[in-house]
Amino acid sequence: MPDLASAFVYYIVFLFSTTLHEAGHAWAAALGGDLTAYHGGQVSLDPRPHVRREPFGMVVLPIISVLISGWPMGFASAPFDPYWALRHPKRAAWMALAGPGANFLLVIASGVVMQLGKGLGVFAAPHYIGFSHLVDVPGGGMWEGIGFFLSVLFSMNVLLGCFNLVPLPPLDGSAAIPLFLTDSGAASYQRFLLQNGATFAMVGMLIAWRVFGYLYNPIFNIAISLLHWGHHYG
């Protein structure tokens, strides 16, 4: 049984990060002319409209998984108009990238706060690196909890942002491919994705998890080297 306080932090970070990810999709779609998610209330940092859309993926499954394993597993989605995506495949591609983009904003924000903490002396470069341990806390106290929260926020959003960029359905990376195609190719690809994406979703997810297992450690190490520039961790 994982520590309940840590499990609670992991779930809160998952809920907030997933909410911002889906709000990013909804915001980008609205900018591109599709107001489907906007009218559903999902251009919002309030998790409630996102939870109402996917209560199992955002509440039930992540809470069960975090209590069992210490790690929240879940999913969410933002609605969009498929006819809009067919008419504007490149706008739909930018909508897809906005979700991971929101995760990377959280990576940057948490990294900046940790750097500020280092400047103020409440944080220090750690002696060892872990998913939930990215700073040492010389003075202890409440800063230990803040350092833990910021570490989880940074690490989880590196994972969520990068994993969602894997170019396999149903992940966002597959929907971003039209940006690299000609207009006619983008339209054909978008049509294929809308008609067949659900068919390949399970296989795509299994392959993505398998492939990402080899990619995550190098990606995480690069993120850590940027966070703690000049420090080296094995």
Side-chain angles (χ1 to χ4, degrees), residues 55-109:
F56 182 78
M58 291 194 71
V59 179
V60 179
L61 180 58
I63 287 179
I64 291 173
S65 60
V66 79
L67 290 176
I68 293 174
S69 67
W71 175 258
M73 296 180 62
F75 57 88
S77 65
F80 67 95
D81 180 356
Y83 296 104
W84 168 81
L86 282 172
R87 292 193 304 272
H88 306 289
K90 297 202 175 186
R91 294 185 194 178
W94 284 115
M95 175 191 70
L97 285 181
N103 295 123
F104 295 136
L105 283 178
L106 288 177
V107 172
I108 293 169

Side-chain angles (χ1 to χ4, degrees), residues 35-149:
L35 298 178
T36 306
Y38 172 81
H39 290 312
Q42 291 188 286
V43 184
S44 172
L45 298 184
D46 182 348
R48 289 176 294 180
H50 304 278
V51 168
R52 282 195 295 269
R53 179 169 171 81
E54 297 285 6
F56 182 78
M58 291 194 71
V59 179
V60 179
L61 180 58
I63 287 179
I64 291 173
S65 60
V66 79
L67 290 176
I68 293 174
S69 67
W71 175 258
M73 296 180 62
F75 57 88
S77 65
F80 67 95
D81 180 356
Y83 296 104
W84 168 81
L86 282 172
R87 292 193 304 272
H88 306 289
K90 297 202 175 186
R91 294 185 194 178
W94 284 115
M95 175 191 70
L97 285 181
N103 295 123
F104 295 136
L105 283 178
L106 288 177
V107 172
I108 293 169
S110 56
V112 167
V113 174
M114 284 187 276
Q115 292 293 350
L116 289 174
K118 287 165 66 177
L120 293 171
V122 297
F123 295 146
H127 293 91
Y128 70 93
I129 286 292
F131 191 92
S132 59
H133 182 83
L134 301 184
V135 287
D136 282 344
V137 185
M142 70 173 186
W143 292 105
E144 288 189 357
I146 294 171
F148 178 82
F149 174 82

